[in-house]
Amino acid sequence: EAGVVQSPRYKIIEKKQPVAFWCNPISGHNTLYWYLQNLGQGPELLIRYENEEAVDDSQLPKDRFSAERLKGVDSTLKIQPAELGDSAVYLCASSHGQGAINTGELFFGEGSRLTVL
Amino acid sequence: AQSVTQLDSQVPVFEEAPVELRCNYSSSVSVYLFWYVQYPNQGLQLLLKYLSGSTLVKGINGFEAEFNKSQTSFHLRKPSVHISDTAEYFCAVIPSGGSNYKLTFGKGTLLTVNP
């Protein structure tokens, strides 16, 4: 069974440019998460989806960040415009049902490493 | 709100030596506790978890952790490490009840196993 797939793995852009990250969760997982991982830090939740509904986006900087999960499967995270401080790894994770997080059954992708110059 | 403190940012050890990675948490409610491992250039994967029952939990790759409620700790241990255990280890917590599904991670401990 395929795991969580993210692309691109690496992205280098200049500040003020837009960037988008894509995530394909494990088949059948209706809960999808985007996490931000800064260098030397643990992951921090940006947004959580239950199917196509964003049920927790309280940590998403909505002035420049946006996300969507059309049809409740794949998801895209966009930054426009990017700033120097956005350089980080963006992790996508999925789980089977919102209760699954209570058992730690989150499956993470390999992440998308963004460098903003 | 919950918080997690991983007391060591880096732990270098020699192969076959024992290791302990320390984790303390703060929470006003009961929590579930987890350790995740992140190998270089890979995503995080669940190493072990404490939900209830025995305070000593065993995970993959020979790791174990002990939940100590009075000390609010969940330290990770392995009696003999291998080179392949070199990775970043994250402790995480989540409230055990209600509808708060926010998993809070510590800053991570980089375990480096040297030959």
Side-chain angles (χ1 to χ4, degrees), chain A residues 19 21 36 46-47 59-67 76-83 85-88 90 114:
Chain A
V19 64
F21 305 110
L36 166 68
L46 288 173
I47 189 168
Q59 302 301 311
L60 190 71
K62 298 181 182 60
D63 56 336
R64 297 182 300 105
F65 285 67
S66 64
T76 303
L77 178 69
K78 298 179 181 178
I79 308 175
Q80 182 172 10
E83 297 179 352
D86 296 332
S87 294
Y90 293 84
L114 173 66

Side-chain angles (χ1 to χ4, degrees), chain B residues 35-37 39 45-49 58-61 63 76 89:
Chain B
W35 276 98
Y36 279 83
V37 59
Y39 297 103
Q45 66 179 89
L46 183 64
L47 194 59
L48 50 77
K49 61 191 177 189
K58 296 186 184 298
I60 61 173
N61 301 336
F63 283 93
L76 181 70
Y89 293 80

Side-chain angles (χ1 to χ4, degrees), chain A residues 9-10 33 35 37 40-45 48 56 59 91 98-99 101-111 113, chain B residues 32 34 36 38 41-46 49 51 88 90 94-108:
Chain A
R9 288 291 313 278
Y10 305 93
Y33 316 77
Y35 281 85
Q37 186 176 19
Q41 304 291 318
E44 299 174 26
L45 181 67
R48 175 170 65 92
D56 183 358
Q59 302 301 311
L91 295 167
Q98 63 183 15
I101 191 173
N102 286 344
T103 60
E105 298 291 346
L106 264 67
F107 296 84
F108 284 83
E110 294 180 321
R113 183 178 297 275
Chain B
Y32 294 145
F34 311 91
Y36 279 83
Q38 186 175 31
N41 296 315
Q42 294 187 28
L44 282 75
Q45 66 179 89
L46 183 64
K49 61 191 177 189
L51 304 181
E88 187 100 34
F90 293 95
I94 191 170
S96 61
S99 59
N100 183 349
Y101 297 103
K102 184 177 178 181
L103 193 59
T104 301
F105 287 88
K107 292 185 177 182

Side-chain angles (χ1 to χ4, degrees), chain B residues 78-99:
Chain B
K78 186 169 183 178
S80 177
V81 295
H82 302 290
I83 298 287
S84 59
D85 292 323
T86 295
E88 187 100 34
Y89 293 80
F90 293 95
C91 183
V93 301
I94 191 170
S96 61
S99 59

